[in-house]
């Protein structure tokens, strides 16, 4: 499993990238607003993220109509070679994905909540598909079960004719709220988990590691 950092915060990205575990970054309009981002600086900001990370950086189009999404997508893709255009799962988004894929632009189909949506995204030519876990749990449903079904359903078919250069589609487990989510997604075979830095920190921690470290340090004092 690969890990992406789910943030638009440059300091968080720089810090997490130094840990060696980050293979990419995902952003969304909320994450950009959260760091006080402004529309006029959006493309520059994505460029800065692309310079910090040696891997795919998802930047979202906020357009609602297919031609506008394609125009947005082409502009975003021109920022850096590692930009991936995030497109919402909806009819206009599918049409735009087909068009962007034809231009060789990788698309991360986002806000995916069902197997039929994921299958349609795959047929439209998406490079990445992002089922959301936490938001599904928030409506008293089972986000992890949904990821499991999507991984299984996509694995049943060959989508190489739909994707750019026949690349394999990767499932990004998104809206990840805990290290437990990460464990379960890894066991289900999700390709990537995109995680906030808080979850990444929790993934490193274990009480037995802390206890073991404390006892080693105490014993080491005895040999001084
Ligand atoms: C990532 O691609 C998503 O935008 C993100 O994981 C959403 O997470 P949230 O549901 O915690 O906002």
């Amino acid at each position: 499993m690969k890990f992406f950092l789910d943030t638009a915060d440059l300091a968080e990205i720089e810090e997490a990238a130094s840990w060696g575990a980050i293979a990419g970054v995902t952003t969304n309009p909320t994450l950009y607003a959260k760091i006080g981002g402004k529309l006029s600086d959006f493309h520059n900001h994505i460029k800065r993220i692309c310079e910090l990370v040696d891997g795919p950086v998802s930047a979202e189009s906020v357009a609602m109509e297919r031609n506008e999404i394609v125009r947005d997508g082409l502009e975003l893709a021109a920022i850096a070679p590692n930009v991936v255009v995030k497109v919402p799962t909806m009819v206009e988004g599918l049409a735009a994905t087909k068009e962007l894929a034809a231009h060789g632009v990788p698309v991360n189909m986002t806000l995916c909540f069902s197997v039929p949506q994921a299958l349609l995204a795959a047929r439209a030519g998406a490079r990445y598909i992002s089922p959301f876990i936490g938001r599904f749990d928030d409506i008293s449903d089972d986000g992890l079960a949904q990821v499991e079904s999507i991984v299984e359903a996509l694995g049943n078919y060959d989508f190489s004719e739909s994707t750019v250069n026949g690349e394999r589609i990767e499932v990004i487990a998104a809206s990840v709220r805990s290290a437990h989510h990460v464990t379960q997604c890894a066991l289900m075979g999700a390709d990537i988990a995109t995680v906030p830095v808080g979850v990444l920190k929790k993934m490193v921690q274990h009480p037995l590691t802390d206890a073991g470290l404390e006892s080693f340090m105490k014993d080491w004092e005895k040999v001084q």
Side-chain angles (χ1 to χ4, degrees):
M1 170 178 260
K2 287 180 282 189
F3 301 109
F4 288 179
L5 200 65
D6 199 22
T7 185
D9 187 311
L10 297 175
E12 284 182 359
I13 294 167
E14 206 164 2
E15 172 61 16
S18 76
W19 304 354
I22 295 304
V25 166
T26 51
T27 66
N28 65 31
T30 305
L31 292 170
Y32 187 56
K34 199 170 148 191
I35 58 148
K38 294 280 169 266
L39 178 60
S40 56
D41 191 43
F42 182 55
H43 283 199
N44 274 336
H45 193 80
I46 295 297
K47 192 171 191 302
R48 286 195 284 272
I49 296 177
C50 289
E51 286 162 0
L52 288 177
V53 182
D54 186 18
V57 172
S58 289
E60 190 153 346
S61 164
V62 289
M64 296 299 285
E65 189 272 329
R66 64 187 74 185
N67 295 319
E68 287 175 19
I69 300 171
V70 171
R71 196 193 56 222
D72 255 12
L74 292 175
E75 282 175 15
L76 289 167
I79 295 173
N82 51 334
V83 166
V84 171
V85 180
K86 231 176 173 189
V87 176
T89 312
M90 57 181 187
V91 169
E92 294 300 297
L94 291 171
T97 296
K98 181 173 182 286
E99 185 85 17
L100 287 167
H103 282 90
V105 174
V107 169
N108 172 0
M109 189 128 256
T110 188
L111 290 169
C112 178
F113 291 93
S114 73
V115 170
Q117 285 184 321
L119 292 170
L120 287 169
R123 284 291 168 221
R127 171 70 177 81
Y128 301 94
I129 298 177
S130 293
F132 279 36
I133 301 168
R135 294 191 194 194
F136 215 48
D137 291 351
D138 289 345
I139 59 158
S140 304
D141 216 310
D142 189 343
L144 285 170
Q146 177 230 168
V147 173
E148 186 170 33
S149 302
I150 287 173
V151 169
E152 188 181 337
L154 291 175
N156 287 340
Y157 305 101
D158 176 11
F159 294 99
S160 57
E161 278 180 20
S162 314
T163 56
V164 180
N165 301 325
E167 281 174 318
R168 199 176 71 82
I169 296 164
E170 291 184 280
V171 172
I172 306 179
S175 192
V176 170
R177 306 267 169 91
S178 65
H180 171 72
H181 279 166
V182 176
T183 303
Q184 296 307 310
C185 288
L187 294 173
M188 290 163 190
D191 302 282
I192 299 155
T194 188
V195 296
V197 75
V199 170
L200 195 68
K201 284 179 181 165
K202 287 210 168 83
M203 287 164 58
V204 187
Q205 292 163 357
H206 195 283
L208 291 178
T209 306
D210 296 342
L213 195 56
E214 200 182 327
S215 70
F216 285 160
M217 296 314 280
K218 271 191 188 142
D219 289 339
W220 193 243
E221 275 171 24
K222 293 177 194 162
V223 305
Q224 300 306 306

